[in-house]
């Protein structure tokens, strides 16, 4: 249900790329906010839960194994975030940014509707 809410909100929103809307002095707070969001991201938590057991026996030293897992995660996560931020800094037209926003919102809405469609029978069975 959250994905449906989020995707509809994304579809309704308009991107504003005017220079007045960007405050360069807030870059430190954006960095802190981005870090806190990233560290509390359920995707990252699920990544560690899913791959944590596989890294126990990579080396005999559990500390080294966990350091290897953390290093791989940091490299992959930050590389992806860097590529995304590089790509979206090149989007300078509001029309293009709004099209990207609408496309991502539509994809999220399709995923949410599919998830609701496939899980609804089980949910209603449990509630009955």
């Amino acid at each position: 249900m959250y994905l449906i809410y989020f995707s509809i909100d994304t579809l309704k929103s308009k991107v504003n790329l005017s220079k007045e809307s960007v405050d360069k002095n807030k870059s430190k707070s954006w960095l802190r906010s981005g870090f806190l969001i990233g560290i509390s991201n359920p995707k990252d938590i699920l990544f560690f839960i899913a791959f944590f057991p596989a890294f126990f026996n990579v080396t005999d030293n559990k500390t080294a194994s966990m350091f290897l897992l953390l290093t791989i995660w940091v490299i992959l996560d930050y590389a992806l975030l860097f590529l995304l931020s590089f790509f979206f800094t090149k989007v300078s037209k509001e029309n293009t940014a709004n099209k990207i926003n609408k496309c991502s919102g539509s994809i999220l809405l399709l995923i949410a509707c599919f998830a609701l469609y496939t899980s609804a029978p089980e949910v209603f069975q449990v509630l009955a």
Side-chain angles (χ1 to χ4, degrees), residues 1 3 12 31 46 49-50 72 80 88 90-91 105 108 112 121:
M1 294 307 290
L3 272 180
K12 286 185 193 177
L31 181 64
L46 289 174
I49 290 171
I72 291 170
L80 179 64
F88 282 106
K90 301 302 178 193
V91 176
L108 278 176

Side-chain angles (χ1 to χ4, degrees), residues 19-127:
K19 298 295 180 192
E20 298 86 32
S21 68
V22 178
D23 186 3
K24 300 279 183 185
N25 296 330
K26 292 189 177 185
S27 63
K28 287 183 182 179
S29 67
W30 289 346
L31 181 64
R32 185 178 336 113
S33 175
F35 175 76
L36 291 174
I37 289 170
I39 203 74
S40 65
N41 188 343
K43 170 189 60 99
D44 292 340
I45 294 168
L46 289 174
F47 171 82
F48 276 102
I49 290 171
F51 292 104
F52 199 71
F55 276 82
F56 275 136
N57 297 325
V58 172
T59 66
D60 292 334
N61 185 346
K62 292 198 186 313
T63 304
S65 296
M66 292 305 107
F67 182 74
L68 179 62
L69 173 64
L70 181 65
T71 304
I72 291 170
W73 171 75
V74 166
I75 291 169
L76 292 176
D77 199 36
Y78 283 101
L80 179 64
L81 292 175
F82 174 77
L83 289 172
L84 287 172
S85 66
F86 178 77
F87 172 74
F88 282 106
T89 56
K90 301 302 178 193
V91 176
S92 59
K93 294 182 181 178
E94 285 185 15
N95 190 25
T96 305
N98 281 317
K99 285 180 182 177
I100 292 170
N101 208 27
K102 300 295 183 215
C103 182
S104 62
S106 299
I107 290 169
L108 278 176
L109 185 59
L110 287 172
I111 291 169
C113 288
F114 178 75
L116 185 63
Y117 173 75
T118 57
S119 64
E122 295 173 13
V123 171
F124 289 122
Q125 187 178 28
V126 170
L127 293 175

